[in-house]
Amino acid sequence: MNTLRKRVLTTLTCAALVFAAYHAWRLPFYEYAEEIYTTTKDRLFTLDWLLHLIPLLIILGLSAIAIMISISAREKLLSQNTAARRFASAHSETSGKRLPGQRASGFMVIRWISMILFSFLMIFGGTLLGARFDKISIPVFSCPVNMSQLTESSCYYLSHLADLFSLPVSDIILFFVSTIGFALVLGRMICGFLCPMGLAQDLMDLLRHRTKTEGIIMNDRMYGALVPVRWTMLFLMLGLTFIGGNFCNFCPAVTISPVLAGLQVSLFAGGFMMVIVLTGSFFKRRFFCTICPLGYLLGLFHRISPFRITKDCTACTECGACYDACPMGIKAIYKERENSDVTEITCIMCGECVRKCPEDKALSVTCLGRSVYTSSRDKVVRNYR
Ligand code: SF4
Ligand code: SF4
Ligand code: SF4
């Protein structure tokens, strides 16, 4: 009965998502009041540019309201129900923040600088440096409606394969060479170090820690429930264009680069998706990454990427600290007892497991077999003094 209910629920969720996606194309959700897709230096930071930020401010406001409603609903539920309180204390997350006096590791500093710098270039790069790299596609979620980005984001042509194959052959070749090249060389380091959607989600996680709000720890069942959503998203991204739909109509990435560049973009389906993404990633770190179709495609190449998470199984005490810290719920990092390579296709290479591991050299991020970041008991103990 349970299995039947699960299947029915899964089927209904997938059907609702496909239905919503199809209608997002039919209704005038995704509109541009102006026919401009680029920005100029003299337009940046002007009143006109500020006015174009209003949709983003509304999205942020709606996300703040959704977060506050969720927090007060949770508090009310917990104050009335002992069983719910017990469940919440087992599934809430307060760890992960830096403690007072704790120094951020070099790996994490580089990760944050890289995400911020790349996101900045994906907003203003073309305007500031000239459109030198606009034929190069990089597999991140950073809407290329803003044509002033440093490079193009592969998400547009991946979700409009029919359009891609109508381009000149040289452009098609350049698209595949650059997209696959980046995916092969960097794998999901792209998720941990470059993607602007990843940065937006990490900022929400940072905000949660700053406001000392409890997050949600997802268990296996919760991750399992998201698998059909991820498959549906993948189907919508690659296949919607072939049945006359447009994935961009409800893609949350439309509210980052284009809006910050000062272009007039959707407040509707994409904007409301972004409210869900921001609210979800406030409570659950990298919430959208668990269902991201592009992340899934990157994961396929991650199998052969030179960047790996490796484990010295003899040093591991199976304490589970790495699993608790992992935003993608990857169990192999603490369960694996034989193989040293514990890189999974869902790993976004954030390094949180390494940072939280209390055993010397039990976990490492490596590149071509050389360690670039390794766990240290000393560093973990120092944080609790
Ligand atoms: S999983 Fe998707 S949204 Fe998340 S960082 Fe990777 S490409 Fe970006
Ligand atoms: S945190 Fe380190 S010691 Fe603990 S289970 Fe993970 S790898 Fe093993
Ligand atoms: S396994 Fe480690 S590096 Fe990969 S997502 Fe989990 S915490 Fe991040």
Side-chain angles (χ1 to χ4, degrees), residues 139-141 188 190-199 201 286 288-296 298 328 346 348:
V140 288
F141 254 125
R188 291 200 78 170
I190 290 173
C191 296
F193 281 73
L194 299 182
C195 181
M197 277 291 282
L199 174 65
Q201 295 177 82
R286 292 287 183 126
F288 181 71
C289 296
T290 57
I291 55 167
C292 175
L294 188 55
Y296 180 80
L298 277 172
M328 306 303 282
T346 48
I348 54 169

Short mmCIF file of all heavy atoms in Angstrom, two decimals, residues 139-141 188 190-199 201 286 288-296 298 328 346 348, ligand 1:
data_model
loop_
_atom_site.label_atom_id
_atom_site.label_comp_id
_atom_site.label_asym_id
_atom_site.label_seq_id
_atom_site.Cartn_x
_atom_site.Cartn_y
_atom_site.Cartn_z
N PRO A 139 29.06 25.45 -18.65
CA PRO A 139 27.85 24.84 -18.09
C PRO A 139 27.53 25.30 -16.68
O PRO A 139 27.80 24.60 -15.69
CB PRO A 139 28.14 23.34 -18.15
CG PRO A 139 29.62 23.23 -18.19
CD PRO A 139 30.16 24.48 -18.77
N VAL A 140 26.95 26.48 -16.56
CA VAL A 140 26.46 26.99 -15.27
C VAL A 140 25.03 27.49 -15.50
O VAL A 140 24.63 27.70 -16.64
CB VAL A 140 27.31 28.17 -14.73
CG1 VAL A 140 28.67 27.70 -14.25
CG2 VAL A 140 27.44 29.28 -15.77
N PHE A 141 24.32 27.72 -14.40
CA PHE A 141 23.00 28.33 -14.51
C PHE A 141 23.16 29.83 -14.33
O PHE A 141 23.20 30.34 -13.21
CB PHE A 141 22.05 27.76 -13.45
CG PHE A 141 21.04 26.83 -14.04
CD1 PHE A 141 20.89 25.55 -13.54
CD2 PHE A 141 20.23 27.23 -15.08
CE1 PHE A 141 19.97 24.68 -14.08
CE2 PHE A 141 19.31 26.37 -15.64
CZ PHE A 141 19.18 25.09 -15.14
N ARG A 188 32.25 18.77 -11.41
CA ARG A 188 31.33 19.55 -10.56
C ARG A 188 32.06 20.57 -9.69
O ARG A 188 31.46 21.19 -8.82
CB ARG A 188 30.44 18.63 -9.75
CG ARG A 188 29.45 17.91 -10.67
CD ARG A 188 28.26 17.37 -9.95
NE ARG A 188 27.27 18.41 -9.66
CZ ARG A 188 26.05 18.15 -9.21
NH1 ARG A 188 25.67 16.91 -9.03
NH2 ARG A 188 25.21 19.13 -8.95
N ILE A 190 32.68 23.08 -10.98
CA ILE A 190 31.90 24.21 -11.52
C ILE A 190 30.78 24.57 -10.54
O ILE A 190 30.51 25.75 -10.32
CB ILE A 190 31.33 23.81 -12.91
CG1 ILE A 190 32.47 23.73 -13.93
CG2 ILE A 190 30.24 24.79 -13.37
CD1 ILE A 190 32.06 23.19 -15.29
N CYS A 191 30.16 23.55 -9.94
CA CYS A 191 29.07 23.80 -8.98
C CYS A 191 29.61 24.44 -7.70
O CYS A 191 29.00 25.35 -7.15
CB CYS A 191 28.36 22.50 -8.64
SG CYS A 191 27.54 21.75 -10.04
N GLY A 192 30.72 23.95 -7.23
CA GLY A 192 31.26 24.45 -5.97
C GLY A 192 31.96 25.78 -6.10
O GLY A 192 32.03 26.55 -5.13
N PHE A 193 32.50 26.09 -7.29
CA PHE A 193 33.38 27.26 -7.42
C PHE A 193 32.89 28.34 -8.38
O PHE A 193 33.37 29.46 -8.33
CB PHE A 193 34.79 26.82 -7.88
CG PHE A 193 35.61 26.25 -6.76
CD1 PHE A 193 35.32 25.00 -6.26
CD2 PHE A 193 36.66 26.97 -6.21
CE1 PHE A 193 36.06 24.47 -5.21
CE2 PHE A 193 37.40 26.45 -5.17
CZ PHE A 193 37.11 25.19 -4.67
N LEU A 194 31.96 28.00 -9.30
CA LEU A 194 31.62 28.99 -10.32
C LEU A 194 30.14 29.36 -10.42
O LEU A 194 29.83 30.53 -10.66
CB LEU A 194 32.09 28.48 -11.71
CG LEU A 194 33.59 28.24 -11.90
CD1 LEU A 194 33.86 27.79 -13.32
CD2 LEU A 194 34.42 29.47 -11.58
N CYS A 195 29.25 28.41 -10.27
CA CYS A 195 27.85 28.67 -10.66
C CYS A 195 27.19 29.79 -9.82
O CYS A 195 27.15 29.70 -8.59
CB CYS A 195 27.06 27.38 -10.53
SG CYS A 195 25.34 27.60 -11.01
N PRO A 196 26.65 30.82 -10.47
CA PRO A 196 25.97 31.89 -9.73
C PRO A 196 24.76 31.41 -8.94
O PRO A 196 24.44 31.97 -7.89
CB PRO A 196 25.55 32.88 -10.84
CG PRO A 196 26.49 32.62 -11.96
CD PRO A 196 26.78 31.14 -11.90
N MET A 197 24.06 30.38 -9.44
CA MET A 197 22.93 29.83 -8.67
C MET A 197 23.45 29.18 -7.38
O MET A 197 22.78 29.19 -6.35
CB MET A 197 22.18 28.79 -9.49
CG MET A 197 21.18 29.37 -10.45
SD MET A 197 19.76 30.11 -9.62
CE MET A 197 18.84 28.65 -9.21
N GLY A 198 24.64 28.60 -7.46
CA GLY A 198 25.26 28.02 -6.27
C GLY A 198 25.58 29.12 -5.27
O GLY A 198 25.34 28.98 -4.07
N LEU A 199 26.11 30.25 -5.77
CA LEU A 199 26.44 31.38 -4.89
C LEU A 199 25.18 31.91 -4.20
O LEU A 199 25.17 32.14 -2.99
CB LEU A 199 27.11 32.50 -5.70
CG LEU A 199 27.36 33.79 -4.90
CD1 LEU A 199 28.38 33.57 -3.78
CD2 LEU A 199 27.86 34.92 -5.82
N GLN A 201 22.52 30.38 -3.46
CA GLN A 201 22.08 29.43 -2.43
C GLN A 201 23.02 29.46 -1.22
O GLN A 201 22.57 29.41 -0.07
CB GLN A 201 22.03 28.02 -3.01
CG GLN A 201 20.98 27.87 -4.09
CD GLN A 201 21.03 26.48 -4.67
OE1 GLN A 201 20.48 25.54 -4.11
NE2 GLN A 201 21.69 26.32 -5.80
N ARG A 286 22.00 24.37 -0.45
CA ARG A 286 22.04 23.94 -1.86
C ARG A 286 20.80 23.10 -2.22
O ARG A 286 20.90 22.07 -2.89
CB ARG A 286 23.31 23.14 -2.13
CG ARG A 286 24.60 23.96 -2.07
CD ARG A 286 24.73 24.85 -3.27
NE ARG A 286 25.96 25.60 -3.30
CZ ARG A 286 26.81 25.60 -4.33
NH1 ARG A 286 26.56 24.88 -5.39
NH2 ARG A 286 27.90 26.33 -4.30
N PHE A 288 18.36 23.72 -4.36
CA PHE A 288 18.10 23.59 -5.80
C PHE A 288 19.09 22.62 -6.46
O PHE A 288 18.74 21.93 -7.41
CB PHE A 288 18.17 24.97 -6.48
CG PHE A 288 17.91 24.92 -7.95
CD1 PHE A 288 16.64 24.68 -8.45
CD2 PHE A 288 18.95 25.10 -8.87
CE1 PHE A 288 16.40 24.61 -9.82
CE2 PHE A 288 18.71 25.04 -10.24
CZ PHE A 288 17.43 24.80 -10.71
N CYS A 289 20.33 22.59 -5.92
CA CYS A 289 21.33 21.69 -6.52
C CYS A 289 20.90 20.23 -6.43
O CYS A 289 21.35 19.41 -7.23
CB CYS A 289 22.69 21.89 -5.86
SG CYS A 289 23.36 23.53 -6.13
N THR A 290 20.06 19.88 -5.46
CA THR A 290 19.63 18.48 -5.35
C THR A 290 18.66 18.09 -6.47
O THR A 290 18.42 16.91 -6.70
CB THR A 290 18.96 18.20 -3.97
OG1 THR A 290 17.87 19.10 -3.82
CG2 THR A 290 19.91 18.36 -2.83
N ILE A 291 18.08 19.10 -7.15
CA ILE A 291 17.16 18.77 -8.26
C ILE A 291 17.61 19.38 -9.58
O ILE A 291 16.91 19.32 -10.59
CB ILE A 291 15.71 19.25 -7.95
CG1 ILE A 291 15.69 20.75 -7.61
CG2 ILE A 291 15.08 18.46 -6.84
CD1 ILE A 291 14.30 21.35 -7.61
N CYS A 292 18.80 19.99 -9.59
CA CYS A 292 19.25 20.73 -10.77
C CYS A 292 19.58 19.81 -11.95
O CYS A 292 20.42 18.91 -11.83
CB CYS A 292 20.49 21.55 -10.40
SG CYS A 292 21.21 22.39 -11.81
N PRO A 293 18.96 20.01 -13.09
CA PRO A 293 19.23 19.14 -14.24
C PRO A 293 20.64 19.33 -14.81
O PRO A 293 21.29 18.38 -15.23
CB PRO A 293 18.17 19.56 -15.25
CG PRO A 293 17.74 20.93 -14.87
CD PRO A 293 17.94 21.03 -13.39
N LEU A 294 21.12 20.58 -14.77
CA LEU A 294 22.46 20.84 -15.30
C LEU A 294 23.52 20.19 -14.40
O LEU A 294 24.50 19.62 -14.89
CB LEU A 294 22.68 22.36 -15.38
CG LEU A 294 23.94 22.85 -16.06
CD1 LEU A 294 24.05 22.28 -17.46
CD2 LEU A 294 23.95 24.37 -16.12
N GLY A 295 23.26 20.26 -13.10
CA GLY A 295 24.18 19.62 -12.15
C GLY A 295 24.25 18.12 -12.41
O GLY A 295 25.31 17.52 -12.36
N TYR A 296 23.09 17.52 -12.75
CA TYR A 296 23.07 16.09 -13.02
C TYR A 296 23.93 15.78 -14.26
O TYR A 296 24.73 14.84 -14.25
CB TYR A 296 21.63 15.61 -13.25
CG TYR A 296 21.58 14.14 -13.53
CD1 TYR A 296 21.65 13.22 -12.49
CD2 TYR A 296 21.52 13.66 -14.84
CE1 TYR A 296 21.65 11.86 -12.74
CE2 TYR A 296 21.52 12.30 -15.10
CZ TYR A 296 21.59 11.41 -14.05
OH TYR A 296 21.61 10.06 -14.31
N LEU A 298 26.40 17.56 -15.41
CA LEU A 298 27.80 17.76 -15.03
C LEU A 298 28.34 16.54 -14.28
O LEU A 298 29.49 16.16 -14.43
CB LEU A 298 27.92 19.00 -14.14
CG LEU A 298 28.00 20.34 -14.84
CD1 LEU A 298 27.93 21.48 -13.82
CD2 LEU A 298 29.28 20.45 -15.66
N MET A 328 24.72 17.49 0.00
CA MET A 328 24.08 16.63 -0.99
C MET A 328 23.74 15.24 -0.40
O MET A 328 23.33 14.35 -1.14
CB MET A 328 25.00 16.47 -2.22
CG MET A 328 25.44 17.77 -2.84
SD MET A 328 24.04 18.83 -3.34
CE MET A 328 23.54 18.06 -4.85
N THR A 346 26.82 13.25 -7.54
CA THR A 346 26.06 14.36 -6.95
C THR A 346 26.95 15.31 -6.14
O THR A 346 26.48 16.36 -5.70
CB THR A 346 24.95 13.82 -6.03
OG1 THR A 346 25.52 12.85 -5.17
CG2 THR A 346 23.80 13.24 -6.81
N ILE A 348 29.18 18.24 -5.14
CA ILE A 348 29.41 19.56 -5.75
C ILE A 348 30.78 20.13 -5.41
O ILE A 348 31.04 21.31 -5.65
CB ILE A 348 28.30 20.57 -5.33
CG1 ILE A 348 28.18 20.63 -3.80
CG2 ILE A 348 26.96 20.22 -5.96
CD1 ILE A 348 27.32 21.76 -3.29
S1 SF4 B 1 23.82 21.87 -9.32
FE1 SF4 B 1 23.01 23.34 -10.84
S2 SF4 B 1 22.49 25.19 -9.68
FE2 SF4 B 1 23.76 23.90 -8.37
S3 SF4 B 1 25.78 24.75 -8.67
FE3 SF4 B 1 25.57 23.01 -10.12
S4 SF4 B 1 24.84 23.89 -12.06
FE4 SF4 B 1 24.57 25.45 -10.43
#
